[in-house]
Amino acid sequence: MSEPITIDDLKTDEKSWWCPGCGDFGVLAALQKAIVELGLSPDNLAIVAGIGCSGKIGNYINSYNIHVVHGRTLPTAMGVKLANRDLTVFAVGGDGDGFAIGMGHFIHACRRNMNITYIVMDNHIYGLTKGQNSPTSDFGAKAKATPWGSIEHPVRPLQAALAAGATWVGQGFSSNQAQLVRLIQEAVNHQGFSFLNVISPCVTYNKVNTYAWYKQNLASLDDEAKHNPSERADALRLAVETDEMVTGLLFEDRDAPSYDSLVPGFSTTPIVKQDLILPEEAWDNLLAAFR
Amino acid sequence: MDQIAWKIGGDQGEGIDSTGDVIATVASRMGYFVYGYKSFSSRIKGGHTHYKVRIADHPVRSAVPETHVLVALTQETIDRSVHEVVPGGAVIADEGFQPSLPDGCGLPLIAIPMGRIARELGNPVVRNMVAVGATSALLGVPLARYEAYVSLKFEGKGQGVVDVNLAALRAGFEAARAVLPDGLGFTLPEVAEKGRLLMTGNEAIALGALAGGCRIMAAYPITPASDVMENLVGLLPQHGGVVCQMEDEIAAITLVIGASYAGARAMTATAGPGFSLMQEGMGLAAMAEIPAVIVDCQRSGPSTGMPTKSEQSDIMAAIFGGHGEGGRIVLSPSTVEEAFADTAEAFNLAERYQTPVIIASDLALSEWKQTVEHLPIEKVTIDRGEIAPQDFLRHLQRGSFDRYALTDSGISPRSLPGQPHGQYLATGVEHLPSGKVSEDPRNRKSEVDKRARKFQPLIDDPTGVDYEGPATPDLLIASFGSVTGAIEEAIATIGESTLHIGRLKVRRLWPFPATAFRKCLEAAGEVMFVEQNSTSQLRRLSELVGIDTSHATSLLRYDGILFTPQEIQAAIRSRFARQEVS
C-alpha cells in the first residue's frame, strides 16, 4: 500500500542538541534502522518521549511524536496504544525520567503488559540539568549534588523489570549497533510490554562510566550463548551475578497474554475507528436501570 | 402533605445506603420527586451515618432541616436527629437497644424488634429491611411496592437472599402495624407514574461520557469520584471502550492525553488531592493543544481535608492551577441533567478548542440521588473539531505539516496518528507552527497569543450563565454547582410577593461569561453570592474579570454541611428586614 521506507524518510531537518559523541546518537540511529528493517511506516508510528537529553529524540525522528511531562512516557504511551492498537508505540526516555520520577509507572507498566516498547537511554547521570547523580549512578559516584559521593545504592532496572513481571527484558549498548538494532526489532515484535535498557554514555558529565569503561565491563550474551531467556529466575540470577553488566536478551515470555488481549471485549478495530454514536435502543436499556 | 422527609441513621456498614436506596427508588417509581443524601465518614465500618430521602410532589434538589419519619438503628441516631422531627412525625426504632426519646418531646416512638426479627430469619443483616417494612406501614405505601423493588435489587444474589429480604420486609410491616397508634401515619398516594429517572451526578456523568463518544477512561480511586470510573466499567467495554484503573492520578491524566493525541475521546475523574496531581498534565494538554476531559468532584480541602464532605473550593485550581498560563474550559453543572449534558458536550469543547475541559462537579451533585425528568440524550451531538483532511495531508512532504499553524481563530487543524503524511511533534516545550521546539521571542509571543485567541468567542457566549427571574430583580442570587438546588427552592417557597428575586447560575466558570454575568448583576438591586467555600471564589472570579460586586454580599458555608432553602431564606429576610418585607 505504501512505498518502502528509507532512513531518510525518518530523519528530520532538526539540528541536534546532543553533545558530540553522546550515546543517544547511537540509539537514534539503531531505532531508525530497526524501524526501516521492520518495514514500519512513519504514518503508523508513535513515539512518546520523556524529559531530559534523551527526550529530545522525538525532534529527530519523523513520526507521530509526543514529548510529554517528565517521567510519564509510559502511561501516555499506553493511552496512545489503547486508542489505536494499529500503531507501533514506543516510549523513550532516560534513566532519571524512567527510574526516578517515573519509577512508579515503570513497575506498573511491567505488570500491565501492554503491547508497547519502552527504550531507556541509560547514562547513569542527569545530563540536561548539568550533572547530578541519577538513580542508576554507582554508589560513591561524585556529582554536583553529592560532591562527597553517592550514599544511595543504584536502581537495577533489569532486576526491577523482571521482579515486576515484565515479559520481555533486554539490554543494549549504543556502541553495539548490530545487536541494538536486533534487540529493538525483537522488542517490537514481542506481543506485550518490552523493556530495553540501553547503555548510552554521557561524554560531558559522566567521566567514570565512559565508553572505555563500558567496553571493558560489559559482556554480550551474543558471545556466550549460554543464557536461556525463557526462564525468569535464570534471567534474574544472571542480572544479579553480572550486576547487570550484560547486553542481549535476558528474558522473554512469549505466552503471557498482553493487556489488550485481556481487556473484556476489546475490539480488533481500533477505538479511533469506531462509530461514536450509540444506537437509540441502547439508551432504553441503559436508562431502565434508573427507573 | 406535599412532601415527606424520611431519614435512617445507624452505624456505617449496617446497610444504611441500601435502605435509603430502597425508600428513594420506590418513591420515584410511584411518581414522586426524590432527593436522597447522606452524611458519612471516610471509613467502612463504624461511625454514625445517616441517609435522608425527601419525597415530594414537586422538584426537590436540596437538603432540608426537618424530618417526618426518623428510623433509628442506634440510640445515637435518636440523640443526634430527634430534634429534626417535626410535630406530627414519628420515630421508628429497634426495640433491641431500648430506645428512649428525650423527655417531653411528644413524638410517638414505634419500637420494633428489628434485630430480633432479623436473627430469627437467620440473617442479622436484613435488620434494615425490617425497618423498610415498618416504614411502609407508617407511610401508607403498599408493601408490594417495596417487595417488587427489593426482589429486583437482590435478584443477582440468588433467590435465598431475595426471600430473606422479603420476609424481613413483611415482618417489619406487620410488627409496625401491630403497634402503630391510632391516627398516626402518612399517606403517599400513588401518583401518575412519569417514568422519571432517579440518578446521581456521577451516574449521569458516566452516561454523558458514553453519549459524548468517550471510549477510554483512566482514573485512580478517590472519594467522591470513584464511581464515575465504576459506572463506566459497566458501560464502556460493552461499547468498544476500556476503563483503566491506574497507579496514580498522574498516570490517569497522561493516559488520557496519550489517548486523545491518538484521536480517541478520553476522560478521567478525580477529586481534591488527585486534582492537584493532575495539574502538570493539564498544562501539557494546554501547551500541546491536546483535548482532555477531567471531572473534578470537589470535596473539602486543602490536602485530605474532609474527603466525604461537599465543597466548592477548587474553582481557582480548575481555572488557574498549574504553572504558566494555559487555557482551559471549566464547566459547572448544577443538576444531574446538566451533569449529563455538560459531560457529553465537554468532549466537543475539548476537541474543538484542543484543550483540557474540566467538569467542576461537587460531592453533593456527584453522590446524591435526584429525580431526573428527562436526560437530554437527543441533544447530544458529536463535533470532532478541526482535523486536517486526508486530501490536504497527502500532498505534504512528511514532516512538513504545520500542526500549530497561526490561524485567525487560533484553532489549528490537527492530524491523527495513522494519517499518512500528518506526522508532527506534539510537545510541552514551546514550539513553532510545525511543532519543532523554539525559544524565538517572536514565535513565543505569536504561539501564546494564538492559544489564547481560541477562547475569545466563549467570553461573549451567553450560554455561560443561566438566569431565571424578573428583568430587574430586587435581589440576584449568584451561584454555581449543586447549591443552586437550595437557592431555587428558597426562592420558590419564600412567599414574599413584594420581593423580586432572580437566580443566576454560572454554567461555565472559564472562560468566564463576563458579558452576560455583568449584565445580570447590573440589572439587580442587590446581589448575594451563595457558595460552599470560605472565600467566595465565584465573587472573586467575577471581580477578577472586572465586574463590580460592591453591592454584593456572600453567604458562605465551609463546614461540610449542605445549604438548606431555609437558611438561604433567613439570609434574604435579614437582608431585607429594613424594607419590611418579612
Side-chain angles (χ1 to χ4, degrees):
Chain A
M1 147 187 137
S2 52
E3 68 276 35
I5 300 301
T6 67
I7 293 279
D8 282 344
D9 290 320
L10 289 171
K11 286 184 175 164
T12 68
D13 53 11
E14 192 84 343
K15 205 175 110 230
S16 178
W17 293 37
W18 291 328
C19 306
C22 177
D24 292 353
F25 284 107
V27 183
L28 173 64
L31 181 59
Q32 288 170 328
K33 189 151 190 251
I35 290 165
V36 169
E37 290 181 5
L38 283 166
L40 301 175
S41 163
D43 301 330
N44 293 311
L45 186 62
I47 297 177
V48 182
I51 298 293
C53 295
S54 57
K56 296 189 184 297
I57 195 163
N59 296 297
Y60 315 130
I61 187 159
N62 197 355
S63 57
Y64 278 97
N65 299 311
I66 169 167
H67 185 202
V68 296
V69 176
H70 193 24
R72 322 300 173 194
T73 58
L74 286 169
T76 313
M78 289 175 209
V80 174
K81 185 69 179 178
L82 283 173
N84 188 347
R85 62 187 304 173
D86 286 352
L87 301 175
T88 300
V89 181
F90 289 93
V92 186
D95 40 313
D97 191 82
F99 310 139
I101 191 168
M103 187 53 140
H105 307 306
F106 175 51
I107 296 297
H108 291 282
C110 289
R111 72 183 187 90
R112 208 172 264 132
N113 202 30
M114 204 174 281
N115 194 9
I116 58 177
T117 296
Y118 184 35
I119 297 176
V120 173
M121 297 139 123
D122 184 358
N123 58 12
H124 296 204
I125 198 85
Y126 282 85
L128 201 57
T129 50
K130 302 188 189 295
Q132 299 82 16
N133 272 329
S134 91
T136 50
S137 297
D138 296 332
F139 185 86
K142 291 183 177 166
K144 282 203 175 142
T146 46
W148 50 85
S150 170
I151 54 171
E152 297 172 5
H153 294 278
V155 163
R156 293 299 186 215
L158 305 177
Q159 291 166 56
L162 287 163
T167 57
W168 193 101
V169 178
Q171 181 155 269
F173 180 30
S174 65
S175 291
N176 187 344
Q177 282 287 300
Q179 183 192 45
L180 185 53
V181 170
R182 199 193 71 228
L183 285 170
I184 293 171
Q185 291 174 351
E186 288 175 15
V188 170
N189 286 332
H190 176 66
Q191 294 300 304
F193 182 70
S194 44
F195 167 55
L196 178 60
N197 199 57
V198 184
I199 302 297
S200 176
C202 173
V203 293
T204 306
Y205 295 107
N206 194 334
K207 304 296 187 192
V208 176
N209 310 117
T210 60
Y211 283 101
W213 186 88
Y214 280 116
K215 279 176 183 160
Q216 196 174 358
N217 288 286
L218 275 177
S220 169
L221 292 172
D222 299 356
D223 304 333
E224 309 196 357
K226 277 187 298 195
H227 175 62
N228 171 12
S230 63
E231 290 295 329
R232 190 179 295 272
D234 290 346
L236 261 171
R237 189 177 302 109
L238 176 75
V240 172
E241 286 173 357
T242 60
D243 209 15
E244 306 200 354
M245 282 291 114
V246 284
T247 60
L249 173 63
L250 274 84
F251 177 68
E252 72 174 326
D253 178 352
R254 294 184 180 188
D255 302 323
S258 64
Y259 185 95
D260 14 328
S261 71
L262 292 171
V263 174
F266 200 53
S267 173
T268 50
T269 305
I271 284 177
V272 294
K273 291 182 184 159
Q274 292 172 15
D275 185 8
L276 298 183
I277 311 277
L278 225 59
E280 236 172 82
E281 59 271 20
W283 284 106
D284 297 338
N285 294 330
L286 289 171
L287 297 185
F290 299 96
R291 287 202 170 99
Chain B
M1 182 167 297
D2 65 351
Q3 61 173 302
I4 285 175
W6 171 96
K7 180 175 181 177
I8 186 169
D11 287 336
Q12 260 171 221
E14 289 194 307
I16 304 290
D17 281 15
S18 177
T19 318
D21 171 62
V22 171
I23 300 293
T25 305
V26 166
S28 175
R29 291 174 149 210
M30 290 173 70
Y32 287 95
F33 289 88
V34 173
Y35 185 69
Y37 63 102
K38 59 178 179 158
S39 147
F40 63 117
S41 44
S42 190
R43 49 182 155 171
I44 304 304
K45 298 259 183 200
H48 190 264
T49 182
H50 71 245
Y51 196 123
K52 195 162 182 174
V53 181
R54 295 185 67 194
I55 301 167
D57 61 4
H58 55 275
V60 281
R61 281 193 291 110
S62 70
V64 283
E66 77 272 11
T67 294
H68 300 90
V69 176
L70 177 66
V71 179
L73 299 183
T74 64
Q75 182 61 39
E76 189 181 354
T77 306
I78 296 175
D79 299 343
R80 280 171 177 260
S81 299
V82 73
H83 67 276
E84 298 176 7
V85 183
V86 295
V91 178
I92 303 175
D94 189 345
E95 199 178 80
F97 65 83
Q98 297 174 312
S100 69
L101 301 185
D103 289 342
C105 89
L107 293 167
L109 174 66
I110 302 152
I112 291 171
M114 299 178 189
R116 200 185 76 213
I117 290 172
R119 283 192 301 278
E120 283 170 6
L121 289 169
N123 188 348
V125 173
V126 299
R127 181 163 80 130
N128 60 342
M129 288 302 140
V130 178
V132 173
T135 298
S136 171
L138 190 64
L139 294 184
V141 173
L143 190 63
R145 279 290 191 180
Y146 293 106
E147 288 173 335
Y149 180 61
V150 165
S151 301
L152 186 73
K153 184 177 169 78
F154 295 112
E155 200 174 33
K157 297 190 172 180
Q159 194 56 42
V161 173
V162 171
D163 287 345
V164 72
N165 277 284
L166 291 178
L169 276 179
R170 163 83 36 199
F173 180 78
E174 278 163 7
R177 276 243 295 233
V179 297
L180 269 186
D182 281 346
L184 178 67
F186 301 84
T187 46
L188 274 183
E190 299 271 339
V191 290
E193 287 190 44
K194 301 288 194 303
R196 296 191 190 103
L197 310 168
L198 183 64
M199 200 179 276
T200 67
N202 280 350
E203 287 165 339
I205 285 168
L207 290 170
L210 180 68
C214 174
R215 294 294 178 268
I216 295 179
M217 197 277 180
Y220 183 77
I222 190 166
T223 301
S226 304
D227 44 6
V228 175
M229 168 168 63
E230 288 160 17
N231 282 303
L232 281 166
V233 167
L235 298 173
L236 291 191
Q238 297 162 30
H239 297 96
V242 55
V243 175
C244 302
Q245 183 185 323
M246 301 305 289
E247 56 271 26
D248 57 33
E249 285 89 350
I250 298 172
I253 183 73
T254 48
L255 190 148
V256 166
I257 289 169
S260 299
Y261 168 77
R265 290 190 152 193
M267 78 181 293
T268 184
T270 190
F275 191 58
S276 294
L277 287 177
M278 291 187 183
Q279 292 289 354
E280 191 189 7
M282 288 189 267
L284 169 66
M287 184 60 148
E289 302 195 57
I290 296 170
V293 174
I294 301 105
V295 177
D296 176 27
C297 304
Q298 296 172 87
R299 65 184 216 191
S300 150
S303 190
T304 308
M306 299 195 289
T308 59
K309 304 291 181 240
S310 197
E311 210 165 87
Q312 304 179 294
S313 51
D314 290 355
I315 71 172
M316 294 298 173
I319 298 166
F320 304 113
H323 60 282
E325 300 169 311
R328 299 173 182 178
I329 296 171
V330 183
L331 306 178
S332 171
S334 66
T335 67
V336 165
E337 288 93 331
E338 288 172 2
F340 171 86
D342 284 7
T343 308
E345 181 61 13
F347 293 92
N348 290 338
L349 293 169
E351 291 198 321
R352 199 180 300 145
Y353 294 96
Q354 304 173 5
T355 202
V357 177
I358 295 153
I359 297 153
S361 181
D362 54 57
L363 185 144
L365 175 60
S366 279
E367 297 277 45
W368 308 148
K369 285 176 190 285
Q370 56 181 263
T371 295
V372 177
E373 292 245 49
H374 174 67
L375 216 54
I377 294 159
E378 72 289 346
K379 288 190 186 153
V380 175
T381 55
I382 297 212
D383 167 12
R384 301 297 312 261
E386 292 194 41
I387 295 174
Q390 197 50 65
D391 283 347
F392 167 74
L393 291 176
R394 178 194 327 272
H395 301 295
L396 296 180
Q397 275 218 301
R398 280 208 176 93
S400 65
F401 172 54
D402 276 345
R403 163 67 183 91
Y404 301 103
L406 298 170
T407 58
D408 288 344
S409 67
I411 296 167
S412 325
R414 59 189 189 127
S415 60
L416 302 177
Q419 277 188 296
H421 295 213
Q423 289 90 342
Y424 71 100
L425 171 65
T427 172
V429 183
E430 188 56 274
H431 40 266
L432 299 167
S434 65
K436 292 187 171 70
V437 303
S438 167
E439 293 187 346
D440 174 72
R442 280 179 55 202
N443 177 72
R444 162 69 178 173
K445 189 169 181 311
S446 59
E447 282 290 331
V448 168
D449 293 346
K450 172 197 111 68
R451 291 190 293 266
R453 196 155 64 233
K454 292 193 290 190
F455 302 105
Q456 208 58 39
L458 286 172
I459 295 169
D460 292 324
D461 171 21
T463 63
V465 298
D466 178 326
Y467 177 72
E468 204 174 84
T472 54
D474 302 318
L475 173 67
L476 178 92
I477 303 183
S479 68
F480 65 101
S482 69
V483 300
T484 311
I487 294 167
E488 286 178 354
E489 195 167 335
I491 295 172
T493 60
I494 193 166
E496 305 285 358
S497 57
T498 59
L499 182 61
H500 302 291
I501 308 174
R503 72 110 182 89
L504 175 65
K505 61 180 176 186
V506 177
R507 299 280 291 106
R508 191 186 60 245
L509 289 162
W510 201 259
F512 194 76
T515 314
F517 192 86
R518 178 183 287 111
K519 211 171 125 198
C520 290
L521 259 63
E522 283 172 355
E526 295 195 29
V527 176
M528 182 162 76
F529 287 85
V530 179
E531 304 183 50
Q532 206 159 15
N533 58 55
S534 71
T535 53
S536 202
Q537 294 195 10
L538 178 61
R539 183 175 178 179
R540 286 184 169 198
L541 189 62
S542 49
E543 287 164 359
L544 188 83
V545 297
I547 291 168
D548 177 20
T549 67
S550 56
H551 59 324
T553 54
S554 293
L555 178 63
L556 305 173
R557 264 213 111 113
Y558 42 94
D559 56 0
I561 294 169
L562 302 179
F563 273 109
T564 64
Q566 288 78 0
E567 68 180 303
I568 294 169
Q569 289 173 347
I572 296 169
R573 289 201 176 96
S574 81
R575 180 100 181 259
F576 286 87
R578 62 182 185 279
Q579 297 173 16
E580 313 236 328
V581 288
S582 75

